[in-house]
Amino acid sequence: MERLNNGAHFLFISNVLAPAEADANVKSKLSVLIVSLKAVNGFRNLPVENMAKAAKVLTQHIKDYAIDPKM
């Protein structure tokens, strides 16, 4: 997988998250990773400063405006 368009990326993440959240054993052991994968949170700790900063701003906008990324 070299590059995915937004729709394909969303489907891929959704297809990974659904079984992970459905399996209680996986969910209990990987809950922090699942939460990070669900949104922009994973990008907030990137070593690339401008991407991490943009992710922090985007995360705050998602919270402030109650944006549902699944829309």
Side-chain angles (χ1 to χ4, degrees), residues 8-70:
H9 183 260
F10 178 79
L11 286 174
F12 173 77
I13 296 298
S14 297
N15 289 339
V16 169
L17 282 175
E21 289 185 313
D23 186 326
N25 192 29
V26 171
K27 191 172 182 177
S28 68
K29 292 181 180 181
L30 301 176
S31 61
V32 174
L33 296 175
I34 290 172
V35 169
S36 292
L37 187 59
K38 280 179 126 174
V40 194
N41 293 330
F43 287 97
R44 291 174 39 204
N45 299 320
L46 283 177
V48 181
E49 185 179 339
N50 63 342
M51 289 182 75
K53 184 177 178 182
K56 289 175 185 173
V57 171
L58 182 56
T59 301
Q60 192 60 49
H61 286 319
I62 290 170
K63 288 178 186 176
D64 290 346
Y65 299 106
I67 297 170
D68 181 6
K70 292 184 249 175

